[in-house]
Amino acid sequence: MSQHLFIAGTDTDVGKTVVTQILMQGLIQQGHTVIGHKPIAAGAAMTARGLENDDALLIQQAASMSLPYEQVNPIVFAEPIAPHIAAAKYQQPISLAALDAGLSMLAQYNSDFTFVEGAGGWRLPLGDDGFLSDWVIAQKMPVILVVGMKLGCLNHAMLTAQAILDDGLPLVGWVANTPSDSQQDFYQENLAYLKQHIAAPMLAEIGYASDPLAQGVRSLDLLPITDFS
Ligand SMILES: Nc1ncnc2c1ncn2[C@@H]1O[C@H](COP(=O)(O)OP(=O)(O)OP(=O)(O)O)[C@@H](O)[C@H]1O
Ligand SMILES: C[C@H](N)[C@H](N)CCCCCC(=O)O
Ligand SMILES: [Mg+2]
């Protein structure tokens, strides 16, 4: 059975997709088969093939095998907004059953690893009475947390790591990523705090870079993932 890993972030735009690509590439370089999933995407361009989201296209390209777009990203909305608001606007509610069905389509590939990128942060609403984290809990997916290194990230990282653990899920590791060209003041002190206080190993440290993928793969420690699976 494929080892599923859920990629959570401290926020939207912190580097979940970049880190997903890096982890996929690193494991493929080690000889593993790897596919990716973006169950819900908000923000997509209309193409001849239908709505396509950039994250999903990158994750589709990063896989070690070829999957159709709809299997990588089954639920997609045009506007880059909170998905439950788009879902209400288009009267397309997001159900846990639909998320289950999307993921189950991937079993046929029998890949060693399946990476599942979240949307927004850990408590992303699906509607008035549910969160994407409810699905991750139901699926019992181990989680990797991407911390966007900026002022305010200590609170975001501690709250998110605690919520994942309180939700009963394994936190396999976390990644320090700087998605902005201005490095955080006292970056090393902030990094040291997170290393000491997040109850999981740091898998990679990625600075702002013209090619964050290359830098990320170089700094990657995959042992916590391969040991875990
Ligand atoms: N280390 C980095 N160096 C340079 N650019 C980066 C880095 N990390 C991320 N970026 C850029 O920042 C933007 C946000 O990153 P990314 O799309 O991975 O975030 P995300 O958390 O997946 O966002 P979303 O919530 O929309 O899925 C992208 O344009 C990405 O290329
Ligand atoms: C559009 C954006 N890039 C993401 N796809 C969706 C982020 C939703 C965040 C919801 C929230 O927590 O406020
Ligand atoms: Mg993304």
Side-chain angles (χ1 to χ4, degrees):
M1 216 183 103
S2 185
Q3 174 65 60
H4 293 86
L5 290 157
F6 185 84
I7 307 300
T10 46
D11 199 354
T12 189
D13 273 337
V14 294
K16 295 184 298 294
T17 305
V18 166
V19 168
T20 302
Q21 292 173 282
I22 288 168
L23 295 169
M24 291 174 76
Q25 199 171 312
L27 286 162
I28 291 169
Q29 282 176 7
Q30 288 194 352
H32 299 283
T33 54
V34 183
I35 61 176
H37 195 51
K38 174 86 184 175
I40 304 169
M46 184 51 87
T47 74
R49 298 166 299 281
L51 283 174
E52 289 186 344
N53 163 266
D54 285 345
D55 292 8
L57 290 169
L58 291 169
I59 288 172
Q60 183 184 30
Q61 285 157 20
S64 65
M65 44 190 122
S66 162
L67 273 66
Y69 182 89
E70 322 75 69
Q71 288 184 3
V72 177
N73 174 216
I75 300 171
V76 57
F77 300 104
E79 292 96 333
I81 58 176
H84 76 288
I85 296 175
K89 177 177 171 189
Y90 293 104
Q91 295 179 308
Q92 292 171 11
I94 304 169
S95 69
L96 297 189
L99 293 167
D100 287 346
L103 190 63
S104 69
M105 294 295 287
L106 305 185
Q108 62 185 295
Y109 297 101
N110 199 24
S111 59
D112 297 332
F113 292 94
T114 303
F115 282 88
V116 180
E117 187 196 335
W122 181 242
R123 276 297 181 251
L124 179 92
L126 294 184
D128 279 337
D129 57 359
F131 300 96
L132 184 57
S133 53
D134 297 337
W135 178 65
V136 186
I137 295 165
Q139 288 284 343
K140 299 188 172 66
M141 271 190 262
V143 180
I144 291 169
L145 174 62
V146 180
V147 178
M149 297 297 292
K150 66 173 186 106
L151 191 61
C153 73
L154 302 182
N155 168 59
H156 291 154
M158 296 311 293
L159 283 175
T160 308
Q162 193 60 55
I164 292 165
L165 295 171
D166 286 351
D167 284 344
L169 294 171
L171 181 60
V172 177
W174 64 282
V175 174
N177 183 48
T178 299
S180 146
D181 61 358
S182 56
Q183 199 188 49
Q184 182 180 22
D185 288 341
F186 292 90
Y187 171 86
Q188 289 301 341
E189 288 80 354
N190 282 275
L191 188 71
Y193 183 91
L194 293 173
K195 280 184 180 172
Q196 199 181 336
H197 291 90
I198 296 180
M202 188 178 78
L203 306 178
E205 180 189 355
I206 311 160
Y208 183 79
S210 56
D211 186 357
L213 260 59
Q215 193 197 115
V217 173
R218 272 198 305 275
S219 94
L220 199 52
D221 177 7
L222 286 168
L223 258 189
I225 295 178
T226 50
D227 273 4
F228 178 84
S229 65

